Amino acid sequence: MDIRGRRDQEIHDEVYDVVGIGFGPSNMSLAIALKEHGAGAPQHPVRSHFFERQPTFGWHRNMLLPSTTMQISFLKDLATFRNPMSRFSFVSYLHASNRLVQFVNNQSFIPTRQEFHQYLEWAAAGLSDQVTYGAEVTSIRPVTGAGARTPDLLEIEVRSGDGAVSIVTARNVVVSTGLVPRLPKGVTSGERVWHSSEFLSRFNALDPGGLNSVAVVGAGQSAAEVTRFLYDSLPHAEVRAVIPSYGYSVADDTPFANQVFDPDTVDEYYFGTDGARDAFWRYHRNTNYSVVDADVIRSLYQRSYDEQVRGAQRLHFRNLTRVDGVESSADGARVVLRSLLDGTTEELAVDALVFASGYDGLDPARLLGEEFDRHFQRDAAGRHRVERDYRLVSTSGLTCGVYLQGGTEHSHGLTSALLSNIAIRSGEIADSIVLRRTERELDRHPEQTSNAA
């Protein structure tokens, strides 16, 4: 058996403390937290492994547009807020890349999206022994034996790229499968109708000379960035921005508003009243949702103004306008636009139509399966009940842990699916897994407590 075969066999024979589903930034941050815990307690390492259905690491590759920047400080990386000494920090990446001095000279707290993606690739390479790519988790279920359920063990079914299915056993799983692209009802993506999550792949597959009329639907950061990219990349094309609001709204990134992303705010949201939670969303949605960075807004407005000066317009903003219907074909799309000002409609023919219409959270029930999902509590609104440590609340005495990285906005607030609190969130999950493992060991071996005393 070759080295890879032995490694695969070891993965599938071992009982893990935790199996991670998905290997985007959230579970990468968890892998780092667990790795650093193991470095501090080598006699009690946490046994973990992660499965990622993509063949290689990638994070929003189709939105790595030129000159686009992150919306967070470089210090809000995978580890720094939890462990400023981590070798997986963004500063460590800059040092390893021999670019730390130049980054400091650049005098910016905000890296480009391309550079941050390179940082994530660098971190993923340092965790390669912790992850299996091209492997999709298809189901999770409690371990059963002799007709009885084992309350603290889970079977995770994994399907590899060649279709082979294997079973992994773990005491905890951490679900971090990301977000699901959202398209308007009745709209499907294709050669000429795209969601922003597939933008660059779709755009690069076409001859830009054949794109003479394009439209972008949406009012958020991705919509504005795609609009700017198309305008700059297609100097011959008519570019239309279809905006449901009256123009773009600026993202509030001022210091007091940004406190909503502070780690301590999670406690205030989680333990707050319903009125307090409502206030968080009502007053602070404009820090992240359907808003655009001020520099992007100004750059688009400057382009529009320059056209007015020249007397030649090809950048058009359709404010307070929604899409009523889309009919796609092999060489374009016809879209019906409805004005919210007067209710009139018009039909527009375009060579490409881009929906920057956001994402939906993935309901864990789709992965857990209906039978297993019944073991976990839901609230009056049908949402999963989640402990402060991001663990689903069991209704049936299961002592295994199912943790969520994402999909907990209703319980933990705005940072639940964002990078802002990623290091602290992953550290809290890692601490919970280690603490519960210790408590389980003490329950099995109570003499350890007396000996320690």
Side-chain angles (χ1 to χ4, degrees):
M1 183 182 295
D2 61 18
I3 293 175
R4 180 178 177 182
R6 288 198 301 271
R7 176 172 172 265
D8 290 346
Q9 188 64 42
E10 289 168 359
I11 288 172
H12 299 308
D13 285 348
E14 187 169 2
V15 175
Y16 286 93
D17 291 304
V18 55
V19 160
I21 303 172
F23 203 62
S26 291
N27 267 354
M28 285 175 59
S29 181
L30 175 62
I32 293 167
L34 294 171
K35 189 181 187 75
E36 292 177 349
H37 173 274
Q43 67 277 23
H44 299 294
V46 177
R47 299 176 301 278
S48 62
H49 200 77
F50 297 81
F51 295 94
E52 168 58 52
R53 62 183 176 182
Q54 292 188 101
T56 59
F57 174 79
W59 180 70
H60 296 303
R61 286 186 179 277
N62 283 307
M63 283 299 293
L64 296 179
L65 306 179
S67 301
T68 53
T69 60
M70 299 294 293
Q71 294 176 282
I72 57 170
S73 163
F74 70 92
L75 293 172
K76 292 186 174 182
D77 57 28
L78 299 173
T80 294
F81 273 27
R82 177 187 54 79
N83 175 18
M85 302 297 290
S86 174
R87 76 172 186 88
F88 287 94
S89 70
F90 187 80
V91 170
S92 294
Y93 154 73
L94 289 173
H95 185 268
S97 303
N98 197 30
R99 208 166 56 241
L100 179 57
V101 172
Q102 291 85 348
F103 183 87
V104 173
N105 287 341
N106 199 38
Q107 298 184 18
S108 175
F109 265 77
I110 310 298
T112 65
R113 196 173 294 158
Q114 181 69 52
E115 184 173 32
F116 200 81
H117 193 276
Q118 290 176 2
Y119 157 64
L120 293 176
E121 289 180 312
W122 170 83
L127 299 164
S128 59
D129 61 326
Q130 295 289 299
V131 58
T132 299
Y133 291 101
E136 181 177 8
V137 172
T138 55
S139 71
I140 309 169
R141 54 184 175 266
V143 171
T144 56
R149 189 176 67 236
T150 305
D152 66 340
L153 289 177
L154 296 168
E155 287 183 343
I156 299 96
E157 188 175 285
V158 183
R159 183 174 60 217
S160 61
D162 61 5
V165 175
S166 56
I167 303 296
V168 179
T169 305
R171 303 190 186 282
N172 303 279
V173 296
V174 181
V175 180
S176 180
T177 51
L179 301 171
V180 180
R182 181 196 309 130
L183 287 169
K185 185 177 181 180
V187 175
T188 56
S189 65
E191 291 185 17
R192 299 300 179 114
V193 178
W194 315 329
H195 186 271
S196 58
S197 62
E198 54 185 349
F199 175 69
L200 279 179
S201 294
R202 294 288 193 181
F203 178 81
N204 291 332
L206 296 177
D207 175 9
L211 297 176
N212 298 304
S213 177
V214 294
V216 182
V217 181
Q221 182 79 9
S222 294
E225 289 176 349
V226 169
T227 299
R228 182 176 64 178
F229 173 84
L230 289 172
Y231 180 83
D232 293 346
S233 301
L234 304 173
H236 58 284
E238 298 285 318
V239 180
R240 291 175 172 81
V242 180
I243 308 173
S245 55
Y246 198 78
Y248 301 111
S249 297
V250 68
D252 187 350
D253 62 352
T254 53
F256 286 113
N258 261 344
Q259 290 180 136
V260 75
F261 300 115
D262 289 355
D264 290 345
T265 306
V266 177
D267 277 339
E268 295 173 336
Y269 188 95
Y270 186 87
F271 296 108
T273 64
D274 289 342
R277 295 184 185 189
D278 178 67
F280 270 101
W281 287 100
R282 186 157 26 94
Y283 289 115
H284 297 294
R285 282 188 64 88
N286 66 337
T287 56
N288 185 67
Y289 296 95
S290 298
V291 288
V292 183
D293 286 346
D295 63 320
V296 179
I297 293 176
R298 291 193 181 97
S299 68
L300 277 172
Y301 192 87
Q302 184 66 54
R303 286 162 172 75
S304 178
Y305 183 76
D306 288 345
E307 287 191 336
Q308 294 179 42
V309 172
R310 295 195 303 268
Q313 185 179 12
R314 63 183 185 86
L315 178 58
H316 311 273
F317 296 96
R318 303 299 302 272
N319 299 333
L320 286 176
T321 301
R322 293 191 178 276
V323 172
D324 260 8
V326 176
E327 182 180 338
S328 60
S329 63
D331 57 357
R334 303 191 72 84
V335 56
V336 178
L337 302 179
R338 176 170 56 86
S339 170
L340 300 180
L341 285 170
D342 55 18
T344 58
T345 62
E346 69 169 298
E347 191 173 279
L348 180 69
V350 294
D351 299 309
L353 176 63
V354 185
F355 283 94
S357 43
Y359 299 82
D360 292 319
L362 180 65
D363 186 347
R366 288 176 55 181
L367 179 62
L368 302 179
E370 182 178 344
E371 184 66 24
F372 186 43
D373 187 61
R374 290 191 300 103
H375 293 290
F376 302 102
Q377 292 183 20
R378 291 182 179 259
D379 62 18
R383 302 167 301 192
H384 281 102
R385 293 191 182 276
V386 188
E387 301 281 9
R388 176 59 184 82
D389 60 3
Y390 301 92
R391 183 165 43 94
L392 292 183
V393 178
S394 173
T395 63
S396 59
L398 288 178
T399 55
C400 51
V402 176
Y403 295 82
L404 302 183
Q405 292 243 53
T408 58
E409 289 86 351
H410 63 287
S411 56
H412 290 70
L414 277 72
T415 64
S416 295
L418 304 178
L419 292 174
S420 295
N421 197 34
I422 191 171
I424 298 297
R425 180 173 70 243
S426 297
E428 290 174 343
I429 293 173
D431 288 345
S432 173
I433 290 169
V434 172
L435 176 61
R436 293 177 67 244
R437 183 183 68 170
T438 301
E439 291 173 342
R440 184 168 57 247
E441 289 299 319
L442 290 176
D443 287 341
R444 291 176 177 173
H445 306 286
E447 70 278 2
Q448 293 180 6
T449 304
S450 59
N451 291 339

